[in-house]
Amino acid sequence: MNGESTEKPNPRHIGIIMDGNGRWAKQRGHSRPRGHKEGAKATRAIIDACQELGIRYLTLYAFSAENWNRPDMEVRALMELLELFLSRETKTLVKKRVRLHAIGRIDELPDSAQKALKKAIDATKEFDDWHLTLALNYSSRNEVLDAAKAFAQAVAKGEISPDTTDWDDFSRHLYTSELPDPDLIIRTSGETRISNFLLMQSAYAEFYFTETLWPDFGKEQLRQALACYRNRERRFGKTGEQLASPAPTPA
Ligand code: FPP
């Protein structure tokens, strides 16, 4: 034994598709908004748990671009919950030095939600150790379209040449340009879909699906997901043998 730890590291960045609020409510005879309210409680607990477990980046799929198709009453409840969450949590985020980001077509959210978001983002903009990102009115396909438009504008201004562009250059135009790619994507509630969430960024992410409904997903369930992640071999296109005995670096 050389005393070095063989324990694989936890992910730096986790993305979560928080699914199952509606079923959680239905199972108990409650309304769907009540399920979302419980979901928001679980969200708060997971933000704390990530910090306790040293996960620096957490991205939560809180409202997809497709969620506008839900009944008006549910959309209104989700927007109200978002504003309530921001007004209650901003103080805690500041205290815990967590920087808030938002990704998605934020300018299409109701004005009051945009104002609440801006206030919270401004209040936490100096922090760099911990990052919480809310995906709101988010769709990976829209993100790619918006990035392509911004990229085309940069080309038209002569700032970049398409001939020499690589992925790093293009990805600077994604909403997530300030964030590392996610290492682990979790989806709760037994669904095994990605539903338009971080499609470009999760090219090499590990995926973890659990039957647990989002309001029941707590620190213990997060620990289980992390243990599963640490058991995976992330090869990034290499062979297992190459990873086991990496080629010596040339002098
Ligand atoms: C999916 O469950 C969940 C959503 C569309 C909303 C996610 C919102 C929260 C977890 C609470 C609020 C969070 C913040 C940050 C304010 P579903 O409604 O599709 O559940 P179902 O599939 O069981 O119907």
Side-chain angles (χ1 to χ4, degrees):
M1 286 280 285
N2 60 8
E4 280 177 27
S5 166
T6 51
E7 180 77 354
K8 289 199 205 148
N10 270 336
R12 176 161 63 145
H13 183 180
I14 301 182
I16 308 186
I17 303 174
M18 309 180 287
D19 198 7
N21 296 344
R23 276 162 285 169
W24 185 95
K26 194 171 177 192
Q27 284 170 6
R28 289 159 180 80
H30 298 317
S31 67
R32 292 181 60 83
R34 170 74 196 281
H36 294 311
K37 207 170 152 193
E38 290 304 316
K41 284 188 197 162
T43 303
R44 278 186 214 111
I46 286 301
I47 296 168
D48 288 349
C50 278
Q51 201 172 37
E52 284 164 30
L53 295 166
I55 313 294
R56 288 188 57 209
Y57 292 85
L58 173 65
T59 298
L60 301 171
Y61 205 4
F63 191 87
S64 76
E66 291 76 24
N67 284 153
W68 296 113
N69 296 321
R70 295 195 171 197
D72 286 351
M73 179 274 280
E74 185 171 343
V75 170
R76 264 201 310 276
L78 280 166
M79 291 300 146
E80 280 169 18
L81 197 56
L82 170 67
E83 289 183 41
L84 191 67
F85 176 87
L86 292 167
S87 72
R88 283 192 184 160
E89 292 309 301
T90 302
K91 241 194 217 161
T92 313
L93 295 179
V94 171
K95 197 169 140 211
K96 297 193 163 188
R97 305 185 66 78
V98 179
R99 180 165 173 191
L100 182 72
H101 308 256
I103 56 172
R105 288 186 174 165
I106 303 303
D107 58 346
E108 292 173 359
L109 293 175
D111 285 348
S112 52
Q114 287 187 51
K115 271 191 200 138
L117 259 179
K118 187 176 177 323
K119 204 170 155 194
I121 288 171
D122 283 349
T124 61
K125 68 179 177 204
E126 303 299 338
F127 306 135
D128 191 34
D129 289 342
W130 308 97
H131 296 261
L132 169 66
T133 302
L134 299 180
L136 293 161
N137 188 22
Y138 177 85
S139 137
S140 275
R141 288 181 171 175
N142 286 347
E143 179 178 31
V144 171
L145 283 174
D146 290 347
K149 280 184 212 159
F151 180 78
Q153 281 166 4
V155 171
K157 285 190 207 155
E159 291 166 2
I160 195 164
S161 159
D163 299 332
T164 55
T165 294
D166 61 13
W167 179 251
D168 281 349
D169 297 324
F170 185 79
S171 66
R172 266 180 221 120
H173 299 278
L174 295 174
Y175 305 146
T176 50
S177 58
E178 294 179 303
L179 308 173
D181 282 347
D183 304 292
L184 174 65
I185 302 281
I186 298 173
R187 183 173 189 147
T188 56
S189 90
E191 308 295 351
T192 49
R193 290 184 290 276
I194 298 307
S195 301
N196 220 347
F197 181 56
L198 299 182
L199 293 183
M200 295 297 105
Q201 298 85 345
S202 61
Y204 281 98
E206 298 295 323
F207 291 88
Y208 179 84
F209 299 103
T210 169
E211 295 289 326
T212 305
L213 303 176
W214 178 248
D216 294 327
F217 191 89
K219 189 171 174 182
E220 190 41 47
Q221 286 71 21
L222 179 63
R223 278 186 193 283
Q224 283 168 21
L226 295 178
C228 180
Y229 168 86
R230 290 193 303 268
N231 260 328
R232 310 262 179 99
E233 182 179 62
R234 302 187 75 196
R235 291 199 291 273
F236 299 100
K238 293 185 177 174
T239 67
E241 290 72 26
Q242 281 176 304
L243 292 175
S245 51
T249 335

